[in-house]
Amino acid sequence: MNDSFNIFEYPKGCIEAPAGCGKTQLIVDSIEKNNNQNTALILTHTNAGVAALKQRFRKKGIPHLKVKITTIDSFLIRLVRTFPQRSALPKDYFLNKDIDYTYIRKLALSLLGKEFINTLISNTYSYIFVDEYQDCSELQHHCVVKLSSSIPTYVFGDPLQSIFNFRNSKVVSWETVLKDFPPIHKLMTPWRWINSGTKPLGDWLLSIRKDLINHKKPDLYTAPRNYVRFIPREYKNFNLDYLYNTKDSYLIIGPSYNEKLRLLIAKRNPRVTPVEPVELKALIDLVANFDIQGDSTESLKSILKIASETMTNTNIRELEKRINSIENKRNRNPPNRLEVLCMRFKEQPNFHLMKLILEEFKNTTGIRVIRPTTYLCLIRAIQRSEDNQCSLYDSAILEREKLRHQEKYIPPVAIGSTLLLKGLEADVSVVTNYNDLDLNNLYVALTRGSKRIIIYT
């Protein structure tokens, strides 16, 4: 079937699109060609997906005022925050440690469909595109259906790429999606691989869909060996030497259930940067009980733990020995700047010194920030606490929420779970946990690379 068609001939509908078959390009081209003066609203599920879409629009030179790109939940949060009384949003709700997204979706659903909201939506946006629709919860789907009563709405998805699990809500069935958004078109040309000169790889990835749909793992012996490399050993026991002496970008898929293992791989390989979840649980856990007015020795220990959790080669034990030696006047060598800052903090603990200690760690030769998003959010939270005399925990929550709405930087060599890397593409996809992946996660993992796939099995 020819992929050239005018989506705006339909009032609403669904475009089914296997990975790499031109779905994002179709969205970009449709918005570029449409002359409607209002902004187009594009919704997706992850910040990584938002970053990838924004990058594509920048590359095409489309003005940012012509399109608003955000996650579905961020859009719904903004909606209930704009109308807190009408949505019955409790005061200071977002100061809580964890956001109950099911609760937010219910509040938003109560607003959507109201006449004043319909007017607001239709006056603000020309149409709505919802990407990665196979990952919508039933509640999110109901919200989008309500939105579609205001303006033309088009959903894009692929049931084989459904990998979200919601704690308190089911993923909407594809049958329901097609009932509420009738099928318009199915994209089946592997443009990602054609554009990279690796069409045989793209053809193979399309061909294995039949097995996956029938709940069978694909036959790896049919993979084109020029583009697919197999490594029959435990990836966690050695360094990823093929990352060096190359300009290729990599997405490394690690186990979703073991963040520590993904961090270990990043620590062993300087080019690798972890992609972190928007909840930044590691950050919140690190600062949950931090008290700048408590015992200064314990506060310093917490700071050193934060450094060791966010950076490599911090050598905390040796530093603690040195501080003890300096305190007891047993040191032969004079204290360096980091040791001086730690000593000053113990004498007069404050957020300014805390920030200086962490920055001194970061600037020390041989030390590398391994969790850049957590570190950035932490430094901003410390500055907020210093400026406003509030707890570090409260500041971290506020900075996390601000960061949630900002564009996410994707490093050239990134490691994460399929969920964190979904919607992204790179030159090479590295599937480290082939034997652990279910069929949908496997398909998502295999289709991230446009030039090559490396599989550990």
Side-chain angles (χ1 to χ4, degrees), residues 259 276-277 279-287 309 371 374:
E259 185 184 11
E276 300 176 74
E279 292 80 9
L280 293 181
K281 185 177 182 301
L283 168 67
I284 303 305
D285 289 346
L286 283 170
V287 303
E309 293 283 336
R371 279 177 158 149
T374 291

Side-chain angles (χ1 to χ4, degrees), residues 124-336:
T124 306
Y125 303 110
S126 53
Y127 37 80
I128 299 173
F129 287 173
V130 189
D131 198 10
E132 306 289 356
Y133 206 81
Q134 71 282 341
D135 289 323
C136 276
S137 71
E138 290 180 336
L139 267 174
Q140 287 174 326
H141 173 69
H142 293 321
C143 288
V144 176
V145 170
K146 290 275 191 181
L147 285 167
S148 71
S149 67
S150 305
I151 55 175
T153 301
Y154 308 99
V155 304
F156 299 75
D158 174 17
L160 265 185
Q161 297 183 68
S162 177
I163 61 172
F164 270 49
N165 285 312
F166 296 97
R167 280 179 291 181
N168 303 314
S169 183
K170 291 181 181 178
V171 173
V172 64
S173 72
W174 199 244
E175 291 76 15
T176 300
V177 173
L178 296 180
K179 179 183 174 184
D180 292 323
F181 294 96
I184 294 175
H185 194 75
K186 188 172 184 177
L187 306 176
M188 289 300 290
T189 305
W191 290 111
R192 178 177 298 168
W193 296 275
I194 290 172
N195 293 336
S196 294
T198 57
K199 186 175 182 294
L201 179 58
D203 290 338
W204 178 71
L205 290 168
L206 279 176
S207 73
I208 65 174
R209 288 176 62 85
K210 184 177 180 181
D211 279 341
L212 295 169
I213 290 169
N214 291 322
H215 310 292
K216 294 194 301 182
K217 276 204 169 183
D219 181 0
L220 295 182
Y221 287 104
T222 64
R225 294 307 173 95
N226 288 344
Y227 308 108
V228 182
R229 174 186 174 188
F230 299 98
I231 301 179
R233 52 180 168 171
E234 289 278 322
Y235 68 93
K236 59 188 176 184
N237 292 331
F238 63 96
N239 293 328
L240 310 180
D241 52 355
Y242 49 78
L243 294 177
Y244 304 93
N245 301 317
T246 177
K247 294 181 180 179
D248 285 342
S249 57
Y250 284 77
L251 290 177
I252 304 169
I253 289 86
S256 60
Y257 55 84
N258 196 337
E259 185 184 11
K260 286 185 178 180
L261 187 52
R262 300 200 304 266
L263 284 171
L264 178 62
I265 295 170
K267 286 179 178 179
R268 289 181 175 180
N269 298 275
R271 284 198 70 199
V272 179
T273 303
V275 173
E276 300 176 74
V278 291
E279 292 80 9
L280 293 181
K281 185 177 182 301
L283 168 67
I284 303 305
D285 289 346
L286 283 170
V287 303
N289 299 312
F290 186 85
D291 183 6
I292 197 72
Q293 296 178 335
D295 179 82
S296 63
T297 300
E298 291 303 313
S299 294
L300 180 61
K301 283 183 179 179
S302 295
I303 294 171
L304 299 185
K305 182 182 179 183
I306 288 170
S308 69
E309 293 283 336
T310 57
M311 301 178 230
T312 61
N313 304 321
T314 49
N315 209 355
I316 298 302
R317 287 186 181 179
E318 285 302 313
L319 177 58
E320 288 176 330
K321 288 180 182 177
R322 275 283 296 170
I323 291 170
N324 182 265
S325 176
I326 294 165
E327 281 182 321
N328 291 287
K329 303 188 184 305
R330 295 196 306 267
N331 57 303
R332 294 182 180 178
N333 299 318
N336 60 28

Side-chain angles (χ1 to χ4, degrees), residues 8 29-38 66 126-127:
F8 301 115
D29 289 345
S30 298
I31 289 173
E32 183 183 37
K33 293 173 184 175
N34 191 269
N35 294 320
N36 195 302
Q37 294 302 309
N38 283 353
K66 196 170 183 178
S126 53
Y127 37 80

